[in-house]
Amino acid sequence: GAVVSQHPSWVICKSGTSVKIECRSLDFQATTMFWYRQFPKQSLMLMATSNEGSKATYEQGVEKDKFLINHASLTLSTLTVTSAHPEDSSFYICSARDRKVAGLDTQYFGPGTRLTVL
Amino acid sequence: RKEVEQDPGPFNVPEGATVAFNCTYSNSASQSFFWYRQDCRKEPKLLMSVYSSGNEDGRFTAQLNRASQYISLLIRDSKLSDSATYLCVVNARGTSYGKLTFGQGTILTVHP
């Protein structure tokens, strides 16, 4: 089946540093990947839609200069949290669409990255 | 009003019980509907899609009422392993093409 990986699975960093999270589709090509954020006891909130070879589309209220997204290939999207602060501590999850599967409903989720900013 | 609303629970039921979760959505343009389950500190996993005619997968039955914009999930003969958070998920077409909107989730705990 379709597998999506994320790296790292968890990261602890100091306030003010930047953190890069990778999302990879391992056995399929993904023209579109999605980045979500989940705070404790809350549901997943879509942050942005990442399209291979073009700029990401950010949801309202998400700062594009703070959350940099790069989707340089059909199997890799990266999310960089720049100048991270404690309020950015969250569970970041990506999902990917298989370009060979018709319809936009089939998304495969990565295992998530737990970010803690001290 | 939230786009997708669920009763957060928690639901605490004994093994073997039948439990039902409800969900309402606000966007009448919504086209696809799903139930996901999420275990603690893990990613969501697709449980089942929800079709207009209703559909069943083993102990799980999903129903959709488009007129009322209402989705349900019924779990029969609950198992300890069913303990998780159940997420109602909607995919709206048009300007939100391809975007999944998640409900806040309903927590289920099945006890011996």
Side-chain angles (χ1 to χ4, degrees):
Chain A
V3 178
V4 176
S5 71
Q6 277 185 244
H7 178 81
S9 55
W10 60 270
V11 57
I12 301 173
C13 69
K14 291 182 179 180
S15 187
T17 59
S18 294
V19 176
K20 180 186 283 188
I21 302 170
E22 294 184 348
C23 177
R24 293 183 186 272
S25 54
L26 298 185
D27 50 2
F28 65 98
Q29 294 182 326
T31 49
T32 305
M33 290 183 172
F34 302 88
W35 286 97
Y36 296 84
R37 181 168 52 182
Q38 186 176 32
F39 292 108
K41 299 188 186 300
Q42 296 186 26
S43 193
L44 279 75
M45 294 296 295
L46 181 66
M47 298 175 67
T49 302
S50 170
N51 297 298
E52 186 267 337
S54 64
K55 290 183 179 180
T57 303
Y58 290 81
E59 294 299 302
Q60 191 172 12
V62 178
E63 299 175 58
K64 62 180 181 180
D65 295 328
K66 180 169 180 63
F67 299 99
L68 302 178
I69 291 173
N70 185 290
H71 192 158
S73 78
L74 287 172
T75 59
L76 173 65
S77 175
T78 61
L79 168 68
T80 301
V81 183
T82 62
S83 187
H85 288 92
E87 58 266 29
D88 298 322
S89 299
S90 187
F91 190 43
Y92 291 86
I93 307 173
C94 73
S95 70
R97 280 193 54 236
D98 186 339
R99 67 185 301 205
K100 292 184 179 178
V101 176
L104 290 176
D105 298 342
T106 307
Q107 294 185 25
Y108 304 98
F109 284 84
T113 297
R114 194 161 299 280
L115 170 64
T116 301
V117 184
L118 302 176
Chain B
R1 182 186 172 188
K2 293 180 182 176
E3 289 187 59
V4 180
E5 291 204 62
Q6 294 180 247
D7 179 349
F11 285 68
N12 294 298
V13 303
E15 275 186 288
T18 296
V19 61
F21 304 140
N22 303 320
C23 170
T24 57
Y25 59 96
S26 61
N27 187 344
S28 58
S30 300
Q31 293 290 324
S32 304
F33 310 89
F34 312 89
W35 284 101
Y36 280 72
R37 71 169 276 168
Q38 185 175 26
D39 294 291
C40 190
R41 304 175 80 84
K42 299 283 188 180
E43 77 277 20
K45 293 187 185 293
L46 179 64
L47 181 64
M48 58 195 303
S49 300
V50 187
Y51 303 116
S52 297
S53 55
N55 50 298
E56 186 175 307
D57 183 1
R59 299 181 292 108
F60 300 86
T61 301
Q63 297 278 351
L64 168 64
N65 185 321
R66 286 186 184 271
S68 303
Q69 295 181 199
Y70 170 90
I71 308 161
S72 66
L73 176 68
L74 182 78
I75 304 176
R76 291 183 300 278
D77 188 24
S78 299
K79 311 292 185 189
L80 295 176
S81 57
D82 293 335
S83 297
T85 298
Y86 289 82
L87 303 168
C88 177
V89 183
V90 171
N91 182 349
R93 298 295 168 87
T95 57
S96 301
Y97 197 44
K99 169 182 157 182
L100 295 180
T101 301
F102 287 76
Q104 67 180 105
T106 299
I107 298 170
L108 171 66
T109 301
V110 181
H111 57 81

